[in-house]
Amino acid sequence: EDQLIGYLILMFRELNILKQFSIPDDLFRVFLKTLKSQYNKEAPFHNFRYSFEVTHACYMYLRTAKNIRTLLT
């Protein structure tokens, strides 16, 4: 699951979110590891992997939307 953290950093970097808010990769990595440690590891569904999957889906929607304004109106 540590590999997922790397993918999350890439997604946020590619969307320019880290740059826009001046968040260094290392600090974001620490944040994500802390977030991951707070999930209940015994939860069968709502866990860190699920949160990654939801984030990835949102990332893909943002990357593939040709005209987001059209989708929102």
Side-chain angles (χ1 to χ4, degrees):
E1 288 195 348
D2 283 343
Q3 190 175 21
L4 299 180
I5 289 175
Y7 291 140
L8 288 165
I9 291 170
L10 288 174
M11 284 186 267
F12 278 74
R13 188 188 302 150
E14 212 172 289
L15 293 172
N16 289 322
I17 294 170
L18 299 179
K19 185 176 181 180
Q20 177 72 29
F21 293 100
S22 301
I23 302 169
D25 286 1
D26 292 343
L27 181 61
F28 193 54
R29 182 180 303 279
V30 169
F31 170 75
L32 292 172
K33 285 185 175 187
T34 302
L35 190 66
K36 178 184 171 199
S37 73
Q38 299 303 307
Y39 272 93
N40 179 357
K41 297 187 187 332
E42 309 226 353
F45 187 69
H46 291 290
N47 51 37
F48 184 74
R49 180 170 289 281
Y50 174 71
S51 70
F52 170 82
E53 292 168 356
V54 171
T55 303
H56 184 254
C58 292
Y59 164 79
M60 291 304 295
Y61 297 145
L62 290 171
R63 294 270 304 158
T64 58
K66 297 289 184 199
N67 188 346
I68 194 73
R69 230 181 244 157
T70 303
L71 295 173
L72 295 176
T73 57

